[in-house]
Amino acid sequence: METPESSYPAAQSWSYRVPSPPRLNVPPTGFLKQSPAGMPVAPSKTHDFGSTGFSNTDFLSAVTYSDYITGREPQEWTYDHRWEAQRILPFLYLGPVNVARSRGFLKDNGITMVLAVRDTKSAHARLLGSKVAVEMGIPYATVDTAGNQELIAAFPRGIEIINAHLSAMYHQSQRISTDTTPASPGRVLVFCESGNGRSAAMVVAYIMAMFSMDVVKAILIVQSQRFAVAFDDDMKLLLQTYDSILSAKRMVLLTDRQDSGAQIDPDPIFPGIYGWRKPFKRALNEAEDEDDDMDCGDDGEISGGPSLEKRNGAAPFLDNADRGR
């Protein structure tokens, strides 16, 4: 912004508005109907190792008997569907709390675990429970957070709960399966008060972590089956931040794998399925060799890196005397 008495005009436009992060625009799910197969939920081609700290798609393929990819079209939505649960993945359902208390739904859909994502106040008041699931012998797990900002730390815990259950159900079905009783994979219901808030964010985070999928596509996958999910800007930013964390982990582990040759690290729960182990720390002599490459001269300046004169940058203001040059 340039004023008459200013001798230093701005190099670019600016305003007095408080800085805010850019909005995450998610296109409507209607465009998915243009494709006869909709938007398939499939692993990324680059997801060939445990880049997120969780098990990779080989794990899902094993514990679900290869029934973990879906290409369902967007569901025709009516208002009453918001009180029901929808199948987001073949083994993962999303819905409100009343569904977790429905004996008929849990039995008809073969739910083997219910996972509540709730506020700590609800936990202290013993709300969002599922006595029906307990009476039916279905495991009941919770992820409690004091606020939405704590969801980033809670996402890994919820994902691990789901994966541990799938692994346990796989081993159990392997022990009791016979020719007349085929093995069946685990099925998890994730819920919160409405099924559109924290539980929906947990399912989006699960898809991002397990399928190496970006945040926009993961949100579209969930919304295509449960149209009532409508994240506000704060929740979208939170999911985008978690997406950045996952991307950073993938880049670090991929670089370590290429540079140092990481080896497979079997998981204690499911040996031979989880991904790549991070290499050991650098040896002392390697660290000293790198320190030798950066020498400090007599004037106290560090050599071995780019000089200050060669650094490029953009000045926020321009001198009027330089504008005619």
Side-chain angles (χ1 to χ4, degrees):
M1 180 179 296
E2 183 177 0
T3 59
E5 65 274 8
S6 174
S7 59
Y8 298 96
Q12 52 189 322
S13 59
W14 55 279
S15 67
Y16 290 102
R17 181 175 59 86
V18 177
S20 59
R23 297 188 62 182
L24 178 64
N25 295 319
V26 180
T29 57
F31 84 97
L32 297 179
K33 296 183 179 180
Q34 300 175 2
S35 173
M39 178 178 286
V41 182
S44 170
K45 293 182 180 179
T46 60
H47 193 143
D48 58 349
F49 60 100
S51 57
T52 62
F54 309 111
S55 46
N56 53 27
T57 50
D58 291 337
F59 167 83
L60 289 181
S61 178
V63 298
T64 63
Y65 301 95
S66 299
D67 185 19
Y68 68 100
I69 300 177
T70 180
R72 303 173 63 194
E73 296 182 7
Q75 178 174 305
E76 295 295 335
W77 188 262
T78 63
Y79 182 82
D80 292 338
H81 286 163
R82 68 186 294 115
W83 308 116
E84 302 173 359
Q86 285 73 38
R87 189 184 71 168
I88 309 300
L89 297 174
F91 58 90
L92 197 61
Y93 290 73
L94 172 64
V97 61
N98 63 284
V99 178
R101 298 169 179 171
S102 172
R103 187 180 301 270
F105 172 83
L106 298 178
K107 181 179 179 181
D108 295 343
N109 292 276
I111 302 299
T112 59
M113 187 184 76
V114 293
L115 173 61
V117 186
R118 58 186 185 177
D119 187 271
T120 51
K121 295 180 180 179
S122 300
H124 294 158
R126 297 184 179 181
L127 301 176
L128 291 184
S130 180
K131 294 182 179 179
V132 173
V134 176
E135 293 173 356
M136 297 176 62
I138 299 175
Y140 169 69
T142 61
V143 174
D144 302 330
T145 61
N148 287 345
Q149 291 301 322
E150 293 185 5
L151 279 174
I152 290 184
F155 285 152
R157 188 165 69 254
I159 296 171
E160 197 62 39
I161 289 174
I162 296 174
N163 287 344
H165 176 72
L166 294 176
S167 175
M169 289 300 300
Y170 173 82
H171 288 297
Q172 177 180 332
S173 62
Q174 287 291 302
R175 291 193 300 267
I176 64 177
S177 62
T178 61
D179 295 338
T180 58
T181 306
S184 59
R187 293 183 179 180
V188 181
L189 169 65
V190 184
F191 70 95
C192 60
E193 293 92 339
S194 64
N196 305 323
R198 300 185 182 195
S199 59
M202 180 66 70
V203 173
V204 170
Y206 185 87
I207 294 176
M208 286 194 298
M210 298 302 297
F211 293 90
S212 294
M213 191 174 295
D214 65 83
V215 59
V216 173
K217 187 175 179 181
I219 292 176
L220 280 173
I221 292 298
V222 174
Q223 288 183 337
S224 67
Q225 303 304 315
R226 185 168 176 80
F227 187 73
V229 173
F231 297 126
D232 56 20
D233 289 341
D234 291 338
M235 184 64 78
K236 290 180 182 177
L237 179 60
L238 186 144
L239 289 170
Q240 190 175 27
T241 302
Y242 187 64
D243 187 18
S244 300
I245 293 174
L246 294 178
S247 298
K249 288 183 178 181
R250 294 186 187 106
M251 291 299 297
V252 170
L253 294 180
L254 180 60
T255 302
D256 289 341
R257 175 187 175 189
Q258 293 175 343
D259 295 345
S260 303
Q263 298 177 353
I264 291 180
D265 184 13
D267 179 76
I269 298 178
F270 206 92
I273 294 298
Y274 274 31
W276 298 85
R277 182 180 64 212
K278 190 173 182 179
F280 294 105
K281 293 182 178 180
R282 296 177 301 166
L284 180 60
N285 57 346
E286 295 179 357
E288 292 176 347
D289 292 340
E290 292 185 5
D291 293 339
D292 293 340
D293 294 337
M294 300 186 64
D295 298 327
C296 185
D298 297 336
D299 54 358
E301 295 186 358
I302 298 176
S303 61
S307 62
L308 294 177
E309 291 78 7
K310 295 182 180 180
R311 295 180 181 178
N312 297 323
F317 292 91
L318 300 175
D319 193 336
N320 277 334
D322 298 334
R323 300 179 67 181
R325 294 181 183 179

